[in-house]
Amino acid sequence: MVLYLLVLLPLGVFLARKEASLLVRLSVFVPLLSFLLAPFLLGAAAGPFRLDGVGLFYLLLTDLIYALVALFARGYFAREEAWRFYWAGALFLASAHGAYLAHNLGMLWVFVEGSTLASALLVYHKGGARPLEATWKYLMLGSVGIAMGLIGVILVYALVGGATLDWGEVRSLVGEANPEGLKVAFALLLVGFGTKVGLFPLQAWLPDAHAEAPGPASALLSGTLLNVAFYALLRYAAIMQAAGLFPFSSSLFLTFGLLTLLFAALFLFGQKEYKRLLAYSSMEHMGLAVFALGLGLPWLALFHTLAHSVAKTLAFLAASGILSVTHAKEVGRVGGLVFHLPALGIPYVLALAALGGLPPFPLFFAEFKAVEAAMRWPGLAGLYLFGLGMAFAGLLSPMAQMGFGKGKPLRGQGLDLWILWLLLGILVILGVFPGMEVFKGLEVVLWGK
Amino acid sequence: MALLNTLVLAILSTGFLMVSRRSLDAIIRLYALQNILLALVSFGLAGGELHFVLAGLALFAVKGVLIPWYLFWLIDRLEVSHEVEGYLSVSLSLLLAGLLTALAFRVGEAFVLPEAPLPQGVPVALSLVLLGVLSMVSRKKAISQVLGFLALENGVFLMALSESHGLPLFVELGVALDAFAAVFLAGILIFRIKGEMGHVDTARMRSLRG
């Protein structure tokens, strides 16, 4: 029963109505409450819901990031428009909770689609021609993509004899299912959830949505929403593994992960707007996480999404801070942040360095491990390194310009910049102590070895 | 079985007519009709099980009545012409629709699972999905894209019925709720697009590039 409560808990934010200060307090309190509550519910089950280690991991990550973003948003939004962000955010958090608690593949689909709808509201926010266009594109592409995913869910359901959609039961029944049918189903599921993860060539909505959403919303989209769809892919990868078809899904993951990496790295060059730059970087890292999954290393994929979530939340929050103090969207019109506003500039530059894969940050560790594993196929490892190098080079010049280039003195009043430093701290700790054992433990939960 | 075959063919023809018609009102009515036919198919497959009948009725209420009513209300409030503007002529749309349906029947075989209760529904379901995509990409008005999406979603629903007696009830209701929320949200966006830009023509929304 408590699990149902956990799904509904985020909606408690609506109690604050349009009272700005109360909205902030509830929006921070609710995810923190569920953060504290969730570990005690590990293993609990009710109806289609159950909380296992992997679900708990993503639930905690989402709650933590959501609380920090909600707190930061207090200083970002003008009073009168804040409620839109917090209301849409509450709907989004509720559907993310639902997705991570759902142990039923049908419910998982329902909540993933729910998170698309709620996050479309986040993108739209206040309106205007460009956000409207981005939201429309997101809604249409996202819905069509996810409808393909639903056909995949239906096929899986039919393949196990229409008996159950419970993830654990499907995993144990799927060994006897028709392998050709499963391959078709998996391809459709990859198209469906891959659209939401931002895999090439289904990514068209992603840069627009992430660039046009207000900054804190972009942080939620990149740091938490992409994980929801990736989590669904993880569950289906485990099903394919149980059916003995992992080589098939592995080759698809490797291909699309690599294509996404190369495409995103190409687009990182010559991006004039820094939020668009970060959007392409999200695509790059989701491609890398899918690649890690394709290598047969779910623990590494989990670690990569964690590291990316923290680094990208930091980068988008800092970017929204930059936008609100400079009112400039283009890289070329922002400069010298490290000297003129170090409290904001230093975490931003370091976030870009982390996203570029520099040590001691955790993405370096993740990429290093992936290259190590990919060495079995030198061509694959070579392409991977080529993509990484290109992506790094694409991030380097905006980093130099915005951090150390010419610029004017700035004042960062009203923003909670300490949140950026807190995220930076988490990032460094993750980089120095990656805690591989935890993730390998989660892999066992997922893969059932 | 003969009755079910007739129903499935009738569903396919509503899909075809939706692609060929040029009036939004006619397309919305065809959509409502398509849902009535789908509800009849699910009653036909129920085999006396009550929860199927209940699910059919609930879906009929949401998709056969509520959504069409909302769409009619929307186009009245928008005060735009009720004509569908597309990139393709009627004959070309029909030709493409025919080709896509042929394709769906050709590859549909591969999708039919051994124990499917309604194997002849599978290629029709695939056709509806493809025809929905065709309407979405070939039409300019935001609202006709929503209708294309709804037709596509019906194809998915028919797929669930044909392959496995439909999904479990609570999943089915969740899916219907999502569809309604998506249409509702799209309606709000269409109002804003009209207010912001003075038209509802998605072909003219081209400011985001690269």
Side-chain angles (χ1 to χ4, degrees):
Chain A
M1 280 316 285
V2 194
L3 289 180
Y4 287 101
L5 270 181
L6 206 54
V7 176
L8 295 174
L9 191 62
L11 302 179
V13 171
F14 287 106
L15 292 176
R17 312 183 53 109
K18 288 190 184 178
E19 191 91 20
S21 62
L22 201 55
L23 267 175
V24 179
R25 259 177 274 157
L26 270 179
S27 300
V28 176
F29 172 73
V30 158
L32 287 181
L33 180 65
S34 96
F35 185 91
L36 295 175
L37 205 61
F40 296 105
L41 297 171
L42 188 63
F49 297 116
R50 183 180 311 149
L51 190 57
D52 69 4
V54 184
L56 179 67
F57 164 69
Y58 277 116
L59 193 71
L60 295 181
L61 175 63
T62 303
D63 280 335
L64 182 66
I65 286 184
Y66 188 90
L68 291 175
V69 172
L71 203 56
F72 185 87
R74 178 179 61 171
Y76 179 81
F77 288 113
R79 280 178 69 98
E80 65 273 21
E81 55 185 87
W83 64 272
R84 293 173 191 271
F85 173 78
Y86 289 111
W87 284 16
L91 287 174
F92 165 69
L93 191 64
S95 39
H97 274 193
Y100 293 138
L101 288 166
H103 214 65
N104 176 293
L105 297 173
M107 281 325 258
L108 178 60
W109 186 91
V110 168
F111 281 109
V112 172
E113 166 73 355
S115 73
T116 304
L117 299 174
S119 52
L121 288 172
L122 280 173
V123 176
Y124 172 65
H125 194 65
K126 230 174 56 167
R130 283 162 63 96
L132 262 177
E133 185 185 335
T135 311
W136 185 257
K137 213 170 174 184
Y138 175 37
L139 190 63
M140 287 296 125
L141 263 173
S143 302
V144 172
I146 204 74
M148 299 297 139
L150 184 56
I151 301 181
V153 177
I154 291 165
L155 289 181
V156 169
Y157 182 60
L159 281 164
V160 295
T164 176
L165 271 173
D166 181 273
W167 175 71
E169 290 174 28
V170 169
R171 204 176 52 159
S172 57
L173 286 174
V174 83
E176 278 139 52
N178 169 2
E180 293 310 310
L182 265 181
K183 286 182 184 173
V184 174
F186 181 77
L188 286 162
L189 288 160
L190 185 65
V191 170
F193 294 110
T195 307
K196 270 204 85 172
V197 172
L199 290 185
F200 178 81
L202 309 156
Q203 84 301 341
W205 63 274
L206 193 149
D208 293 341
H210 287 215
E212 296 306 323
S218 307
L220 286 181
L221 291 175
S222 254
T224 58
L225 173 74
L226 294 177
N227 287 349
V228 175
F230 185 76
Y231 169 80
L233 283 183
L234 276 174
R235 292 284 186 203
Y236 284 103
I239 286 175
M240 292 299 276
Q241 154 84 3
L245 291 172
F246 188 72
F248 173 77
S249 28
S250 162
S251 55
L252 286 180
F253 283 142
L254 289 175
T255 312
F256 284 102
L258 207 52
L259 281 175
T260 308
L261 165 66
L262 294 172
F263 177 84
L266 196 65
F267 268 71
L268 281 171
F269 281 99
Q271 263 325 309
K272 292 194 183 68
E273 293 177 17
Y274 51 86
K275 276 183 74 196
R276 257 185 126 68
L277 187 83
L278 294 178
Y280 279 107
S281 151
S282 293
M283 245 185 90
E284 178 211 337
H285 282 289
M286 290 325 274
L288 292 177
V290 167
F291 186 86
L293 191 54
L295 288 172
L297 302 172
W299 72 269
L300 188 59
L302 283 163
F303 181 77
H304 201 115
T305 52
L306 167 67
H308 170 252
S309 289
V310 177
K312 195 47 70 59
T313 306
L314 169 58
F316 265 124
L317 290 185
S320 62
I322 295 169
L323 184 64
S324 71
V325 295
T326 63
H327 303 287
K329 281 182 159 183
E330 292 83 14
V331 171
R333 290 177 57 204
V334 181
L337 286 170
V338 169
F339 311 118
H340 299 310
L341 192 54
L344 176 62
I346 292 173
Y348 179 69
V349 166
L350 290 178
L352 286 186
L355 291 169
L358 288 185
F361 296 109
L363 289 166
F364 170 76
F365 172 79
E367 289 163 5
F368 180 78
K369 286 284 169 192
V371 174
E372 212 174 55
M375 276 305 171
R376 276 177 288 166
W377 307 278
L380 208 60
L383 278 172
Y384 183 88
L385 281 172
F386 174 69
L388 281 187
M390 257 197 344
F392 177 71
L395 283 171
L396 198 60
S397 91
M399 189 162 96
Q401 162 63 25
M402 294 176 79
F404 309 101
K406 276 184 202 152
K408 293 181 297 251
L410 297 162
R411 291 178 57 209
Q413 73 277 35
L415 291 170
D416 291 298
L417 295 178
W418 62 270
I419 293 169
L420 305 180
W421 290 88
L422 178 64
L423 282 163
L424 188 62
I426 298 175
L427 205 56
V428 172
I429 291 171
L430 273 178
V432 180
F433 307 104
M436 278 160 69
E437 298 73 29
V438 179
F439 296 96
K440 288 191 170 154
L442 292 177
E443 177 174 309
V444 175
V445 173
L446 193 69
W447 241 233
K449 268 174 208 158
Chain B
M1 236 27 202
L3 181 65
L4 277 176
N5 276 336
T6 318
L7 282 174
V8 167
L9 277 178
I11 290 170
L12 182 60
S13 41
T14 55
F16 247 89
L17 287 170
M18 281 174 79
V19 176
S20 67
R21 296 307 294 268
R22 278 283 173 260
S23 129
L24 277 178
D25 304 64
I27 296 175
I28 297 173
R29 277 193 211 101
L30 280 166
Y31 174 70
L33 177 64
Q34 197 174 66
N35 279 300
I36 296 172
L37 294 170
L38 279 170
L40 289 177
V41 172
S42 71
F43 294 153
L45 287 169
E49 282 180 76
L50 185 65
H51 74 265
F52 272 102
V53 181
L54 290 178
L57 283 175
L59 290 175
F60 170 70
V62 174
K63 299 203 297 188
V65 179
L66 197 57
I67 290 181
W69 175 82
Y70 176 69
L71 291 174
F72 273 125
W73 178 82
L74 194 68
I75 54 176
D76 277 351
R77 283 277 306 271
L78 277 175
E79 294 172 348
V80 291
S81 90
H82 292 198
E83 199 192 341
V84 176
E85 293 153 44
Y87 299 103
L88 309 173
S89 67
V90 173
S91 46
L92 193 57
S93 307
L94 274 175
L95 180 68
L96 276 176
L99 286 175
L100 287 175
T101 308
L103 179 73
F105 273 79
R106 183 79 184 77
V107 301
E109 307 268 304
F111 281 79
V112 182
L113 300 171
E115 280 155 48
L118 187 66
Q120 65 271 43
V122 174
V124 174
L126 275 181
S127 310
L128 287 185
V129 169
L130 293 176
L131 294 178
V133 174
L134 176 67
S135 334
M136 287 185 80
V137 298
S138 70
R139 289 175 175 172
K140 292 177 182 172
K141 258 188 201 138
I143 201 161
S144 42
Q145 287 173 350
V146 173
L147 277 162
F149 169 70
L150 285 169
L152 183 159
E153 207 260 329
N154 271 351
V156 177
F157 177 70
L158 181 61
M159 178 76 86
L161 276 179
S162 318
E163 294 278 29
S164 65
H165 268 305
L167 292 164
L169 180 61
F170 61 96
V171 177
E172 206 75 270
L173 291 179
V175 172
L177 194 67
D178 275 341
F180 182 68
V183 173
F184 185 68
L185 182 59
I188 295 173
L189 286 177
I190 291 172
F191 269 119
R192 296 303 169 101
I193 293 172
K194 169 89 164 130
E196 193 86 32
M197 305 174 207
H199 62 79
V200 287
D201 190 346
T202 51
R204 282 154 64 188
M205 300 187 354
R206 300 216 165 274
S207 56
L208 297 174
R209 288 278 147 155

